[in-house]
Amino acid sequence: MYPTDLIAWVIECRALSPARIDNHMGRALQFFALNQIGAVNPDLAELLHDDDDQKPITVSGLMRNGGILYGDIKPNDSAWIRITGLSTEIASALLIAHTDMQRRLSAGETVTIELDRTLWAVKHVQIDGHAWAGNGSYQALIDRQANSTPAKTIKFAFLSPTTFRSQTVNMPIPTPSLVFGSLLARWMTFTAHRLRDLPQDQVMAFIQHHILISQHNIRTQLVRGKQGGKEIGFVGEVVYELAHKSDYLGKHDPELEALLRDEHIWFARTIDLLADFAIYSSVGRKTTTGMGMAKSG
């Protein structure tokens, strides 16, 4: 068994009083997550306080099954929230918080959480058994792919609005280079573990020239923040296809194309690895405040 350094903690809750939700609650969830971590490890929570997207933690907004919850809620209406950790320290703190909350619920205690000055009663806490929950390790993800037969297609679900920053402008589109480039950058930032020590520029060349969009069902969606802040992203499903050859590279850089084709299985396993990582990592911008929730499968 490897130590847990990846966790996706889901808290299912119900409303205790009427309320109107007019923002996606990402900031409120960020504050809640830092409080949960701070109760276990105050120094760690202090390190996570800035808004840098390249932090080993993500949060959701206030969610229902189909996406972000907006509008009027009534007592006993259900919702769920999620916090993910991408380091041993954060995963450990969240696991302690999860275990404590689970113990209190099992003892019959009424457990409440506060989100943006509104109290919710906790119904369940999960690190498995929920579509957006999970726990594991970087090394376990690597072991899963080390001798696998790579998938020919990878299906992604983007649950909360997702967008990317490219050449100083926002790009709310799921191109392979943006989606897998974001996952690659986050993996390289947060862990030294590697499936194989492939040069990053070669992996990016494979992503750009050997991954195609074969199907998609996406739409743009506005994220409404506090005090009128707005962000446009996309939600929906995308199927990516891993191609064995690139006519463009074959013409313009045949040496690189020959390498990518010869090592196709290793590059494809790396892409599968990044796809497995997505449920913890999220993708794109503002993952620390509720955007970019994505997973494969």
Side-chain angles (χ1 to χ4, degrees), residues 1-288:
M1 291 290 291
Y2 301 111
T4 298
D5 49 20
L6 293 170
I7 195 167
W9 182 31
V10 171
I11 301 173
E12 298 182 60
C13 49
R14 63 178 177 85
L16 291 174
S17 59
R20 180 166 182 80
I21 308 298
D22 58 8
N23 75 88
H24 83 304
M25 301 283 277
R27 291 285 183 187
L29 262 294
Q30 183 186 49
F31 182 75
F32 172 78
L34 294 178
N35 280 345
Q36 294 296 305
I37 293 169
V40 177
N41 188 334
D43 292 339
L44 177 60
E46 187 62 32
L47 289 173
L48 296 170
H49 255 91
D50 66 55
D51 290 333
D52 183 2
D53 274 348
Q54 293 299 312
K55 291 288 185 184
I57 183 173
T58 81
V59 303
S60 68
L62 184 63
M63 309 297 291
R64 54 188 168 193
N65 287 337
I68 297 173
L69 174 59
Y70 290 114
D72 293 319
I73 57 171
K74 306 182 297 295
N76 294 318
D77 279 357
S78 295
W80 58 274
I81 60 175
R82 189 183 78 144
I83 309 166
T84 79
L86 295 93
S87 72
T88 303
E89 295 79 11
I90 296 173
S92 176
L94 292 177
L95 188 57
I96 291 170
H98 164 78
T99 302
D100 179 66
M101 202 174 286
Q102 189 175 55
R103 175 190 59 78
R104 293 166 61 195
L105 289 169
S106 297
E109 183 178 341
T110 298
V111 179
T112 60
I113 59 175
E114 183 176 351
L115 304 173
D116 198 20
R117 298 185 295 278
T118 299
L119 287 178
W120 294 75
V122 175
K123 295 164 56 179
H124 305 287
V125 291
Q126 299 183 73
I127 55 172
D128 54 34
H130 185 282
W132 290 88
N135 68 102
S137 69
Y138 290 98
Q139 190 60 52
L141 295 185
I142 289 171
D143 289 350
R144 186 188 307 169
Q145 298 299 340
N147 297 296
S148 67
T149 299
K152 295 180 180 179
T153 61
I154 300 173
K155 184 177 181 179
F156 261 83
F158 297 91
L159 188 64
S160 68
T162 302
T163 189
F164 305 89
R165 195 74 170 171
S166 178
Q167 298 181 348
T168 74
V169 297
N170 289 338
M171 298 289 286
I173 52 175
T175 63
S177 60
L178 293 175
V179 171
F180 289 97
S182 173
L183 288 167
L184 177 62
R186 290 169 73 78
W187 181 284
M188 299 288 283
T189 297
F190 298 141
T191 182
H193 291 281
R194 301 288 182 266
L195 176 63
R196 182 182 175 191
D197 196 14
L198 297 167
Q200 190 170 358
D201 59 341
Q202 292 179 5
V203 178
M204 278 306 304
F206 186 88
I207 289 170
Q208 290 168 351
H209 298 287
H210 281 254
I211 303 181
L212 315 171
I213 294 176
S214 62
Q215 298 178 51
H216 70 78
N217 181 17
I218 63 170
R219 66 186 187 279
T220 55
Q221 187 176 100
L222 185 69
V223 174
R224 300 196 295 269
K226 293 283 283 185
Q227 300 174 339
K230 297 178 181 179
E231 190 91 38
I232 295 175
F234 69 89
V235 295
E237 296 181 340
V238 181
V239 178
Y240 297 97
E241 179 182 344
L242 276 65
H244 279 270
K245 68 175 184 175
S246 164
D247 291 338
Y248 177 87
L249 276 186
K251 180 178 180 180
H252 292 89
D253 194 339
E255 184 176 348
L256 176 58
E257 172 63 2
L259 184 150
L260 297 182
R261 292 181 67 175
D262 288 346
E263 299 283 2
H264 177 89
I265 190 169
W266 281 105
F267 287 104
R269 284 174 178 166
T270 297
I271 299 308
D272 278 353
L273 177 67
L274 296 177
D276 286 348
F277 178 51
I279 191 170
Y280 303 105
S281 167
S282 297
V283 297
R285 301 185 63 230
K286 299 193 175 181
T287 57
T288 57

